[in-house]
Structure formats: C-alpha cells, structure tokens
Amino acid sequence: MNVRKPRIYLISLAGALILLGLYLASLYSYLLFHIIAEIFSIIVAFSIFIISWNSRRFIDNNYFLFIGIAFLFVGLMDLAHTIAYPGMAVLPGSGTNAAAQLWISARYIQGLSLLAAPLLIGRRLRFNWLIPSYGLIVLLLWVSIFYWQNFPACFIEGVGLTAFKKISEYVISLILLGSIFVTFQNRREFDSMVLRLLFAAIIVTIISELFFTLYEHPFGLPNLIGHFLKIVSFYLIYKAIIETGLVRPYDLLFRNLRQSEKRYRDLYEEAPNAYLSVNIKGKIERANRSAAEMLGYSRDDLIGQAALDLYADTPYGKAKAEGVFKRFMAGEEIRDEELEMRRTDGSSVWINLSVRPIRDKDGQVIASRSEVVDITEHKRLDQLKDDFIGLVSHELRSPMTVITGAINTVLTESERLSPAETRQLLKDAALESESLSHMLGNLLELSRVQANRLSLFTEAISVRKVIEDTVDNIKRRSSVHHFITDLPEKLPPVYADELRLERILYNLLENAVKYSPQGGDIKVSVQADKERLIIGVSDQGVGISASDQARLFEPFQRLEESRPDVTGGVGLGLMVCRRLVEAHGGQIWVESEPGRGSTFFFTLPLNQG
Ligand code: ADP
C-alpha cells in the first residue's frame, strides 16, 4: 500500500491536468470538448469490458464480469450519443433531443446493470444469452430513437429539457442509490478497497446525473461539470476492475509462489547438514547456512571459492578430494566418502561427502550438488576408542608382568627365598591380580553399558558394611594414607546392587589414592536426607580444575595430558561410576580445588524397592 501512495498523487495530478485540458478545449469549442470527454469515457468503458472479460478466469466474483459486459453496451450507447450530438451532423435525425435520448438510455442501462450486478453474485452467468440480450436492447433503443421515433422526447428546442428527461435523471439517481444499498448488503464479497472505489464511482455518477437535470442547453456549465464527473466515475469503476481482475489475482499468485519458494528455501537453508552447489569449474555457487557455519566462513566468502581449496593439505584432504572430483565429473554418483576439510581458523573438519552430478539435456555433467555431514566428533570418538584400547592393553600388561614375575621367582628360586620373602612375592601377585580383576570388571561393565545390557540386582543392603569392607580392601594398597569413615549412627536401609556399590566406592577410593601421591586423609562420609543418601569420598590430592571437572565423567576422559606430573589410568573408572550411579537413579558430581584435593559425591535414592 505504501508503495502506491505516491502514485495516487501522480494519478490525481494527471487527472487534474486532463480535466483542465478538457476545460480549455471547451472554451475553444464545446463540441470538441464533448467529443474528447465522451471518447475518453467510451475508451474507459471499453477497457472495463476488455479487462473484466480477459481476467474472468481469475475473478470468482460475477459482479465484475457482468458490469464489464454492461459497460461494453453503455460505451456503445455513449458512442451513438457522441455521434448524434448537436453540431455533428453525421446521422439523419440527430440533434440535441436524440443525443439526450441516447444519453438517458445509456444511463438507464448503466444504473440498472449496477443494481442487478450484486444480485448475480454466486450465480452462474450465461454469456450466451447475456451479450445478445444487451445487444438486442441497445438495438431496439436505437431503432426506437432514430427510426420509430417513439422514444419519449428529452429536449424540445426553445423549451429545454422535458419532464421525462428530468424525472428520468432522478429515477436513475434513485436506481443508483438502490445499487449502493444492494451492493452494501453483499459487501462480504468485495475487497474493502474495491468496495470504496465502487461506492465512490456510483456516488459521483449520481452527482453527475443531478447536474444533467440542470442544464438549459447542451453547451452550458452544468453539462460540462456533468461530463467531468462522468469521466471520474467511469475511471473509478475501471480502477475497481483493475484491482479485482489484475492486481489482486497477481498479488495472490505471487504470494503463493513466494510462500512455496520460501518453504523450499527454508528447507535448504535450515537443513542440519551442509549443502553445496558447485559449478563445472569447481567453484561454489550456493551454500546453505550449515555449510558456512561448519567451515567458519561467511556465506559471501564461501560463494565463488574453489571447492578444492576448502580441503586440508593432507592425504584425506585435497589429495582425496581431487580424486572424488574427477569421479563425479565423469558422471559417477559419490556416496559416503570421508574427507578432511579445513576451517577458516585452521582446524580440521572431518566430513562425510555425498555428491550427485547434475547433467544438461545431452547428459553432460555441468555441476554438482553435495551433501556434507560433519563427522568430526564421530572421528574424535573413534580416535579416543583406538587410544583407549591401546591404553587398556598397556594397563593390563603391567600387573601381568608383576604377577608372572613374582610367581616365576617363587617357583624357580624357592630354595633360596626365605618364607617371608615368598609371602611378600605372593602378596604382591595377589594384590596385582586383584587390581587386574578390578580393571577387567570395569571393562565388562562398560561393554554391558555400550550394549544396553546393564541390569542391576537390587536388594536391601547395609551401606555401612559395604563402605567398611571396601575401605579395608583399599587400605591394603596404601600405607601412606590415613583412611577415615564418617557415618551417622543410624543409616536407613537402601535398595541397591551391592557389588555395583562396591565397585563405585572402590573406583573412587582407588582414584583418591592414586591422585594424592603425597598421602594425607581419605575420608568417606555419608549424609541422609528424606529422599536420598549422599556419599562423599574426599582426598587431599592434586585436585581438578573447573574446566576439567566438566568433562570428567565423559567417556575415555583422562586429564593426564594437561597434568603431566601425575601418572594415570585409562579414563574408565569415573565413566563406569557414573553409569552405575545413574542406573541406581542417583547422581554423581565432584567438588574440587586444584592443589587442595577433591570430593566426589554420589547419591542413592531411598524410596526404591
Ligand atoms: P583413570 O583410570 O585415568 O583414573 P578415571 O575415570 O577414574 O580414570 O578418572 C578420570 C580422570 O579424572 C583421571 O585420569 C584423573 O585425571 C581425574 N581424577 C579422577 N579422580 C581424581 C581425584 N580424586 N583427584 C584428582 N583427579 C582425579
């Protein structure tokens, strides 16, 4: 609407200029004015017909088609009126009276059509009788005026306008008022803007009619103003038709198109995977948001880039991409190739690439569409798993070395060894076997979790006994630590899997021993509230930084890389703890200050079982 506003001023200005021009023409010759004014409204009337006729497929409102057809004949009638106008001397029998008769006929047709049109809304229009009927009426009127000459007189020389003419103008005004009323009753069928145009047109017509009751002779001022107003009213109807038949349908059409275009763009734009369109020269033509985000480019920077330049300078990067490029240029469809790309910040992105070649109608490959899936995280986990297997094998080997060494020594050197030494060797072997079996136990738990086969055997257990047994067990592994248990007098019974609870505690205590190499207190405490037990295991060891705390319970996380001074395990214990605690419906977390020790907490719900 805003866009149209300046046009309204322009159109009004042009309209004013035309009317002014007409006025000037009337000063020179009223006949000239009349011809131009009438031809103008005749052109508009014919245009109304042509537009409504040709846009009849878009318009679901019969009103306008009917009006269009009516205006064709109104235009023809007005043409006859112009030709018969006094001073034209073209038709025999023409003159002021005939012109006025034709005029009044035209206005009756116009008024009655405007009155009838709203009544036709929603009905089928039968053109095959409508157009001939109008034609017949117009023909009969012509014959009546020129040949039979039995049409009531409208103008008598020396007397002026007849009563018939004047009354007719009033009757026509009433008909027009009636048409406003009927149209208003059907206002739901019209766009509000169109309705306003229509009403304005009809009201202007009424005013114009009233001017035509006033003139004394056909060249006076009221006649001039009447013709001006007629032009304006025809123009307003023409606007209403344009609006209904052209502007609205196209708006609607384009709106639908825009909507469906937007839907597809959204689908492409907001797809979770990256999409790239690459042309025959290997340059990127289109890229969706995921693509830009994945590679860290702005869209503008991405478009126009050579696709190959986006790959890393590694065997799985550019080198492999060149091979893939050749293959799809040869017409092959590429599926699930793993490649390494390079982000703007220099880091690498592993991707899974599928490419479909696009061909022209001769089958020649002219472009390609690629789907790119970011598998960096996947690759990282794969790598972690590989590292993990290496670490686990390594970790399993060191206790095995101790065990086999001790047993072999006892076996081969039994005579030389004192009973105390033999005992010590066997004790070492037993301790290491225990830690070996514990580690294998953790591995088994992990594989159960991975396979979704972790099931608990819960029963009412004594948490006190599990804690005391596990602490006793771990005590044998360390002589430098001081173990404390801080348990309330009365502990509510808990439903839990005893062996799993033991494993959780063992893992936490083993870590407490391992990560406080200088010794110190290791304390197990229990608090109970209404819903849960909170069990804490604290040490006075190296502690864990806040950023490390966040990833501690994730799979295969070892913090050793960032803490080279501490020898570590394989990053299995805490993950198993978390899975087992969560399987019990509890939570696990850590509170720690680097250098001052850590406390691991976990909860067990009390309302189980
Ligand atoms: P690991 O076999 O490496 O001990 P865990 O899953 O038990 O595996 O622990 C993961 C990491 O968390 C450890 O490598 C260690 O860096 C850190 N961590 C665990 N417990 C403690 C603790 N009590 N004090 C300091 N760091 C700890």
Side-chain angles (χ1 to χ4, degrees):
M1 277 289 153
N2 285 344
V3 191
R4 288 221 214 117
K5 261 199 175 137
R7 283 194 40 211
I8 286 182
Y9 295 122
L10 270 182
I11 287 171
S12 312
L13 186 69
L17 283 176
I18 288 173
L19 295 183
L20 181 71
L22 279 173
Y23 175 70
L24 294 177
S26 79
L27 295 183
Y28 172 71
S29 149
Y30 195 85
L31 192 59
L32 177 64
F33 158 77
H34 186 260
I35 293 173
I36 297 174
E38 285 296 351
I39 284 181
F40 200 85
S41 58
I42 290 164
I43 290 173
V44 175
F46 287 173
S47 304
I48 291 172
F49 166 70
I50 288 170
I51 287 167
S52 66
W53 181 256
N54 286 305
S55 56
R56 63 187 184 280
R57 277 189 306 127
F58 307 138
I59 309 183
D60 46 9
N61 188 339
N62 272 336
Y63 181 95
F64 289 103
L65 187 52
F66 181 77
I67 290 293
I69 292 169
F71 268 72
L72 171 66
F73 292 96
V74 170
L76 284 173
M77 221 48 191
D78 281 341
L79 186 62
H81 158 79
T82 312
I83 295 172
Y85 212 69
M88 294 292 277
V90 177
L91 293 175
S94 61
T96 310
N97 183 37
Q101 285 172 326
L102 288 162
W103 167 273
I104 213 76
S105 312
R107 301 288 79 77
Y108 269 120
I109 294 176
Q110 183 184 340
L112 289 171
S113 299
L114 281 167
L115 183 68
L119 305 174
L120 289 167
I121 293 173
R123 297 200 196 160
R124 265 192 48 184
L125 266 192
R126 292 174 202 263
F127 309 111
N128 44 1
W129 64 257
L130 189 63
I131 295 176
S133 309
Y134 266 106
L136 191 68
I137 291 169
V138 166
L139 201 69
L140 282 175
L141 286 166
W142 283 348
V143 171
S144 155
I145 292 167
F146 288 109
Y147 186 70
W148 296 328
Q149 304 202 337
N150 59 358
F151 194 91
C154 290
F155 186 87
I156 298 169
E157 278 310 324
V159 180
L161 293 176
T162 63
F164 169 75
K165 165 77 162 54
K166 284 190 184 169
I167 291 170
S168 285
E169 301 281 20
Y170 292 125
V171 171
I172 289 165
S173 298
L174 283 177
I175 292 173
L176 288 168
L177 272 179
S179 82
I180 291 185
F181 179 73
V182 183
T183 309
F184 185 75
Q185 283 193 321
N186 289 283
R187 61 190 174 281
R188 282 178 204 294
E189 308 291 331
F190 297 88
D191 177 90
S192 66
M193 156 94 163
V194 169
L195 204 63
R196 278 203 296 269
L197 286 169
L198 273 179
F199 287 164
I202 298 174
I203 289 166
V204 172
T205 314
I206 293 173
I207 300 172
S208 134
E209 288 308 295
L210 297 179
F211 273 100
F212 280 111
T213 60
L214 297 176
Y215 69 92
E216 296 294 321
H217 61 86
F219 303 117
L221 186 65
N223 191 295
L224 180 110
I225 297 175
H227 276 99
F228 274 1
L229 293 176
K230 184 182 164 202
I231 292 176
V232 172
S233 90
F234 274 37
Y235 176 74
L236 290 171
I237 290 185
Y238 167 82
K239 279 295 289 179
I241 300 266
I242 293 270
E243 191 69 25
T244 316
L246 296 176
V247 178
R248 295 288 142 143
Y250 280 106
D251 274 0
L252 204 70
L253 215 66
F254 283 126
R255 197 162 57 230
N256 291 343
L257 266 177
R258 267 201 303 275
Q259 270 168 0
S260 70
E261 193 203 326
K262 186 174 153 9
R263 272 202 296 277
Y264 282 105
R265 224 190 10 239
D266 273 2
L267 190 64
Y268 171 82
E269 258 307 295
E270 304 302 332
N273 292 337
Y275 288 101
L276 294 169
S277 305
V278 175
N279 67 16
I280 190 158
K281 293 194 189 119
K283 295 249 155 60
I284 293 175
E285 274 182 337
R286 272 199 308 274
N288 69 349
R289 204 159 69 131
S290 290
E293 281 172 2
M294 185 181 82
L295 294 167
Y297 282 91
S298 78
R299 191 93 52 108
D300 291 346
D301 289 345
L302 204 52
I303 288 167
Q305 281 242 20
L308 275 179
D309 288 351
L310 299 171
Y311 289 89
D313 270 322
T314 58
Y316 277 95
K318 212 169 268 179
K320 186 172 177 188
E322 272 165 4
V324 170
F325 191 75
K326 286 206 189 89
R327 278 165 54 204
F328 71 71
M329 284 308 289
E332 188 184 331
E333 178 156 345
I334 311 289
R335 284 239 151 250
D336 297 328
E337 289 289 351
E338 291 191 0
L339 290 138
E340 192 181 359
M341 295 183 100
R342 181 80 59 224
R343 285 200 187 87
T344 37
D345 64 9
S347 60
S348 73
V349 198
W350 279 90
I351 57 146
N352 179 310
L353 176 71
S354 299
V355 190
R356 170 165 285 188
I358 304 291
R359 300 158 186 277
D360 64 9
K361 56 182 188 311
D362 304 324
Q364 205 63 19
V365 175
I366 47 163
S368 71
R369 304 279 179 273
S370 316
E371 186 187 44
V372 181
V373 180
D374 188 341
I375 53 166
T376 312
E377 182 60 16
H378 189 84
K379 274 268 174 193
R380 194 181 68 83
L381 287 178
D382 256 14
Q383 187 61 45
L384 276 176
K385 241 182 210 164
D386 291 350
D387 292 354
F388 174 72
I389 289 169
L391 272 170
V392 168
S393 321
H394 182 77
E395 206 70 3
L396 290 175
R397 226 184 26 219
S398 24
M400 279 310 279
T401 317
V402 176
I403 295 165
T404 38
I407 291 174
N408 276 333
T409 314
V410 170
L411 281 179
T412 53
E413 316 221 350
S414 55
E415 283 113 58
R416 209 174 50 77
L417 292 171
S418 70
E421 283 171 327
T422 307
R423 254 184 81 80
Q424 185 56 48
L425 279 171
L426 290 177
K427 222 176 130 187
D428 287 350
L431 214 59
E432 289 300 321
S433 332
E434 201 181 309
S435 113
L436 195 61
S437 116
H438 188 75
M439 205 187 305
L440 288 171
N442 272 345
L443 275 173
L444 272 174
E445 295 286 27
L446 175 70
S447 73
R448 284 193 197 105
V449 167
Q450 302 290 57
N452 263 330
R453 271 188 300 131
L454 179 72
S455 48
L456 300 179
F457 304 97
T458 53
E459 53 190 337
I461 57 161
S462 158
V463 173
R464 180 188 306 278
K465 186 171 172 305
V466 177
I467 291 175
E468 281 166 356
D469 287 354
T470 317
V471 169
D472 280 348
N473 194 352
I474 211 90
K475 251 183 201 166
R476 289 185 284 131
R477 311 185 65 85
S478 168
S479 48
V480 290
H481 296 94
H482 178 223
F483 289 89
I484 308 165
T485 51
D486 175 14
L487 311 180
E489 282 291 288
K490 263 181 69 108
L491 272 175
V494 166
Y495 281 85
D497 183 327
E498 188 169 319
L499 289 178
R500 259 62 182 255
L501 179 57
E502 222 175 85
R503 180 175 300 287
I504 298 166
L505 280 166
Y506 188 96
N507 283 347
L508 295 179
L509 284 165
E510 193 189 34
N511 279 348
V513 169
K514 212 157 53 173
Y515 300 110
S516 51
Q518 76 283 23
D521 293 344
I522 292 178
K523 183 167 118 184
V524 182
S525 62
V526 179
Q527 290 161 280
D529 62 21
K530 273 209 194 93
E531 284 139 23
R532 54 187 193 165
L533 283 189
I534 305 170
I535 302 167
V537 176
S538 28
D539 62 58
Q540 297 172 322
V542 294
I544 304 160
S545 70
S547 60
D548 286 341
Q549 287 175 27
R551 60 183 181 106
L552 212 51
F553 299 95
E554 299 299 319
F556 319 124
Q557 292 297 324
R558 295 168 58 248
L559 310 180
E560 285 4 286
E561 290 98 76
S562 51
R563 295 189 333 198
D565 50 322
V566 189
T567 54
V570 294
L572 181 60
L574 286 180
M575 184 172 71
V576 169
C577 283
R578 175 181 162 187
R579 298 307 172 124
L580 294 179
V581 167
E582 285 174 356
H584 277 90
Q587 288 164 310
I588 185 166
W589 71 97
V590 64
E591 288 171 11
S592 175
E593 220 179 294
R596 314 194 72 173
S598 323
T599 305
F600 283 83
F601 292 100
F602 68 94
T603 63
L604 290 175
L606 286 176
N607 51 1
Q608 268 189 343

